[in-house]
């Protein structure tokens, strides 16, 4: 069964450092998302991406965050200067826009745990 | 703004018994999608069941079924014949059918299955 894959599974970084989290969505999917989950809290929407541009973003997704789909397969989330409060599990998700019955089902990756020290 | 509330941080069920997880949501939309996702420990979230708001019939998937009460804005998940493999975090999620791409999640309910 097709999967969304994320790397790294866990990254530890120093405050102020740049971090790039990588995702490989399912190949025929058209919509891509990043969510985060701070330990013990709810899963929060960060950004959605469609047709090579951001389609929607939350108030969390400030100028420190950016997303890119550099080569048609990878979908990356960059945090320019990490803060302690960026420590969380980051989930990538994708969905197809082409199959009506499954068009609104998100497929998630296993997550990348970011620890900022 | 739409919100999703899961009021049970943790639930326990005996193996082979039935358990119901609660979810309420708030929206002014008339058409939307609702989902239950399961997140096993250290694993990705996987879809358990989905419901389109325009459908009155409650969705079912094998041992999983929902009780969708649109007027009450309630969307509970019933797991019958609970198995050890059902132990996980369960998230309720909402998505409007138009105007937004985002899915809104609740805080989750941790389900423990006791042997």
């Amino acid at each position: 069964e097709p999967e969304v894959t994320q790397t790294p599974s866990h990254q530890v970084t120093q405050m102020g450092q740049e971090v790039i989290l990588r995702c490989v969505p399912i190949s025929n999917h058209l919509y891509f998302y990043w969510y985060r989950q701070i330990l013990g809290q709810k899963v929060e929407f960060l950004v959605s991406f469609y047709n090579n541009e951001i389609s929607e973003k939350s108030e969390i997704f400030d100028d420190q965050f950016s997303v890119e789909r550099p080569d048609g397969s990878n979908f990356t989330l960059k945090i320019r200067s990490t803060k302690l409060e960026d420590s969380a599990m980051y989930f990538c998700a994708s969905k197809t826009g082409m199959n009506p019955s499954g068009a609104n089902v998100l497929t998630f990756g296993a997550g990348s745990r970011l620890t900022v020290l | 703004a739409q919100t999703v509330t899961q009021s049970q941080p943790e639930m326990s069920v005996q193996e082979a018994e039935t358990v119901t997880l609660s979810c309420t949501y708030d929206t002014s939309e008339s058409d939307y999608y609702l989902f239950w996702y399961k997140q096993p420990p250290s694993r990705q979230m996987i879809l358990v069941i989905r419901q389109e708001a325009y459908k009155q019939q409650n969705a079912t998937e094998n041992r999983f079924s929902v009780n969708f009460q649109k007027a009450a804005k309630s969307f509970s998940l019933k797991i019958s014949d609970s198995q050890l493999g059902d132990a996980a975090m369960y998230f309720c999620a909402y998505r409007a059918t138009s105007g937004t791409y985002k899915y809104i999640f609740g805080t989750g309910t941790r389900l423990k299955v006791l042997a």
Side-chain angles (χ1 to χ4, degrees):
Chain A
E1 183 149 343
E3 286 188 342
V4 175
T5 56
Q6 290 186 241
T7 55
S9 56
H10 188 193
Q11 181 157 357
V12 181
T13 190
Q14 294 291 324
M15 192 169 56
Q17 295 297 304
E18 176 182 283
V19 160
I20 297 176
L21 305 179
R22 292 182 167 79
C23 170
V24 179
I26 294 172
S27 60
N28 66 342
H29 282 190
L30 302 178
Y31 297 82
F32 313 110
Y33 298 76
W34 282 100
Y35 281 81
R36 80 172 185 190
Q37 184 182 24
I38 296 171
L39 187 64
Q41 298 187 25
K42 66 180 178 181
V43 177
E44 300 175 294
F45 169 77
L46 291 179
V47 65
S48 59
F49 193 87
Y50 171 70
N51 200 25
N52 286 319
E53 60 183 22
I54 291 174
S55 47
E56 192 170 359
K57 61 182 181 179
S58 72
E59 60 276 6
I60 302 168
F61 195 88
D62 61 20
D63 292 344
Q64 292 299 312
F65 291 87
S66 62
V67 289
E68 203 174 37
R69 189 161 159 79
D71 56 12
S73 62
N74 291 285
F75 178 52
T76 62
L77 174 69
K78 182 194 291 185
I79 309 174
R80 287 189 184 80
S81 178
T82 50
K83 303 188 281 283
L84 295 176
E85 53 265 37
D86 293 328
S87 295
M89 183 72 98
Y90 288 81
F91 292 102
C92 175
S94 67
K95 76 179 183 77
T96 178
M98 301 182 70
N99 178 354
S101 65
N104 284 292
V105 175
L106 283 181
T107 302
F108 283 87
S112 293
R113 181 169 296 285
L114 176 64
T115 302
V116 182
L117 303 176
Chain B
Q2 294 95 349
T3 58
V4 175
T5 302
Q6 292 179 252
S7 58
Q8 306 153 318
E10 193 171 288
M11 294 281 284
S12 295
V13 63
Q14 207 69 35
E15 198 176 4
E17 296 295 306
T18 296
V19 65
T20 298
L21 308 184
S22 301
C23 173
T24 58
Y25 57 94
D26 190 25
T27 183
S28 58
E29 302 290 329
S30 59
D31 199 15
Y32 44 86
Y33 300 95
L34 295 165
F35 308 85
W36 278 99
Y37 277 87
K38 170 185 176 181
Q39 185 184 33
S42 303
R43 301 281 301 277
Q44 66 259 54
M45 277 189 280
I46 55 175
L47 180 71
V48 174
I49 199 164
R50 69 193 288 258
Q51 173 86 39
E52 289 109 333
Y54 69 86
K55 290 186 178 178
Q56 293 187 336
Q57 187 172 10
N58 289 323
T60 61
E61 286 287 345
N62 301 314
R63 296 182 296 107
F64 298 87
S65 62
V66 297
N67 184 4
F68 173 48
Q69 301 287 326
K70 191 171 184 179
K73 296 180 183 173
S74 170
F75 183 62
S76 60
L77 174 70
K78 185 170 86 170
I79 307 174
S80 305
D81 186 25
S82 297
Q83 300 174 359
L84 295 177
D86 294 333
M89 197 74 160
Y90 286 81
F91 291 96
C92 179
Y94 162 99
R95 183 191 184 275
T97 56
S98 64
T100 178
Y101 292 86
K102 67 181 178 185
Y103 296 66
I104 300 168
F105 286 81
T107 50
T109 297
R110 182 169 302 283
L111 178 66
K112 295 183 177 180
V113 181
L114 308 173

